[in-house]
Amino acid sequence: MEDTIKFIEEKIGTFRPEIAVILGSGLGELADEYSDIAIPYSDIPHFIKSTVQGHKGRLVFACIGGKNVVMMQGRNHFYEGHTMQEITYPVKVMKKLGVKTVILTNAAGAVNETFVPSDLMLIKDHINFMGANPLVGPNDPELGERFPDMTEIYKKDLIALAKDCAKNLGLELKEGVYFANSGPSYETPSEIHMARLLGADAVGMSTVPEAIVANYCGMNVLGISCISNAASAHDGEKLSHEEVIDTTNKAKEKFKKLVVKIIQSL
Ligand code: HPA
C-alpha cells in the first residue's frame, strides 16, 4: 500500500480526491471527457491490468463541477481469475487517498420485467451470490471491523440526492436490488427466475465486492446500474457482451449527465 500511495502521490501532487467513481462496461467515457491526470493501471504498483473489452484500465483524476474526483476507467472482475482481495485493492487505495463517497456503476441485466434496456437503476441493496467475500482473510483494524455491519451500504441520503438530480434533469430512474453472480457465463433462465424469486431486480458480475469493501472502510456508497439487456433475453434470445456494450453506449449520454450532476450536488 505504501508503494502504491507513494507512486500515485508523485503523479497527483497536492490533488486529493473526495469522490471516487468506478466506471462499468461501456460507461468509461466520463473519464475521457474529464481527465486532468491519467495513470494506466499497468504503471501503478500492485494494480492489475484490465483485460475486458470496453474497459480501458486507467486511474483518472479530474476536477468535475468543483469537486476533486478519482475515476477508475475500467475495473477488475472476479471472473478474470483475480482474488476478491485483488479486485478490491483499489477501493482501499481510494480510502487512503481521502475519498469519502464512492459511486459504483455497472452494466446489468434486467430481472425485473418492467425494466427495459438503457434504463438506469439506483441500487438500493444487493445480494452477494458470488460465492466469495472480499473481507475473507486477516483483518486490518485500521480500515474496519472484523464483522462489519452491512444494513445500509447504499446510503439513503445519496439515493435521495440522486433522485433529485434525475428529476432536475428530467430523467427517469428505476430503483432496485442488484444480484451479483461470479460470471463469466451469463445466467440460465432458471437462475434469472431464482434471482427474481429472491427479490432481485438486476443481475451482474461486479460492484458487490467494491461495495462491501467501501462500506467496511466507512465510505458512503451510491450504486447505479445501466440496464443493458432485458430479462426476456434470458428466456429465449441469446445474449452477448457486444449487446451489453451497444446498449450502454446508447445510454451513456444520460448516464454521464446524471453522474456529473450528482458529483456537483454532493
Ligand atoms: N447478467 C450478468 N451480467 C451482466 C448482464 C447479465 O444479463 N448484463 C450485463 N452484465
Side-chain angles (χ1 to χ4, degrees):
M1 184 57 82
E2 263 175 39
D3 292 347
T4 308
I5 298 293
K6 191 166 163 267
F7 178 87
I8 293 173
E9 281 179 353
E10 275 165 15
K11 300 276 180 198
I12 64 174
T14 55
F15 184 99
R16 282 295 168 276
E18 49 180 316
I19 300 165
V21 189
I22 301 188
L23 296 162
S25 292
L27 302 171
E29 217 176 77
L30 191 70
D32 287 327
E33 284 173 24
Y34 297 88
S35 173
D36 298 335
I37 305 161
I39 320 173
Y41 296 154
S42 51
D43 289 356
I44 307 174
H46 313 295
F47 264 54
I48 327 166
K49 271 191 206 167
S50 181
T51 65
V52 188
Q53 180 213 335
H55 286 254
K56 247 186 188 163
R58 306 191 304 170
L59 200 60
V60 175
F61 294 84
C63 186
I64 304 178
K67 302 283 163 58
N68 284 355
V69 182
V70 56
M71 286 171 277
M72 285 189 74
Q73 196 174 26
R75 55 150 66 81
N76 298 115
H77 302 83
F78 190 47
Y79 62 71
E80 291 170 89
H82 313 301
T83 65
M84 280 280 181
Q85 290 74 15
E86 284 166 341
I87 62 171
T88 52
Y89 179 68
V91 177
K92 294 179 186 170
V93 171
M94 287 163 177
K95 170 75 183 176
K96 294 269 184 200
L97 289 173
V99 168
K100 303 276 183 291
T101 305
V102 183
I103 303 175
L104 300 174
T105 73
N106 59 53
V111 172
N112 186 318
E113 283 166 315
T114 68
F115 292 1
V116 292
S118 96
D119 272 352
L120 297 179
M121 181 192 91
L122 293 176
I123 304 177
K124 61 178 183 192
D125 201 2
H126 74 223
I127 296 171
N128 180 10
F129 215 75
M130 298 179 101
N133 188 298
L135 302 177
V136 167
N139 186 48
D140 176 356
E142 271 187 27
L143 280 174
E145 291 176 41
R146 174 72 292 188
F147 301 108
D149 171 77
M150 294 281 150
T151 47
E152 196 191 329
I153 300 180
Y154 306 90
K155 294 288 176 289
K156 290 201 176 77
D157 55 344
L158 290 180
I159 291 176
L161 181 135
K163 282 183 182 168
D164 269 357
C165 291
K167 206 168 157 196
N168 281 335
L169 293 168
L171 289 178
E172 197 208 339
L173 280 187
K174 310 282 190 201
E175 200 176 328
V177 174
Y178 178 89
F179 185 99
N181 273 321
S182 73
S185 51
Y186 289 117
E187 297 72 26
T188 64
S190 300
E191 285 163 350
I192 292 299
H193 184 64
M194 173 194 69
R196 194 175 293 130
L197 285 176
L198 293 178
D201 296 287
V203 63
M205 305 171 191
S206 68
T207 303
V208 161
E210 295 115 318
I212 292 173
V213 171
N215 184 58
Y216 155 80
C217 293
M219 293 190 281
N220 297 317
V221 179
L222 177 72
I224 308 171
S225 290
C226 174
I227 300 299
S228 56
N229 48 281
S232 61
H234 298 276
D235 289 323
E237 295 156 44
K238 289 215 184 331
L239 175 60
S240 67
H241 186 57
E242 286 67 36
E243 179 186 339
V244 170
I245 300 290
D246 271 2
T247 315
T248 46
N249 265 328
K250 282 181 200 136
K252 71 187 175 192
E253 293 308 324
K254 67 174 176 180
F255 167 82
K256 280 189 293 188
K257 263 194 215 154
L258 178 65
V259 173
V260 168
K261 185 92 183 159
I262 292 170
I263 290 171
Q264 281 170 341
S265 315
L266 272 169

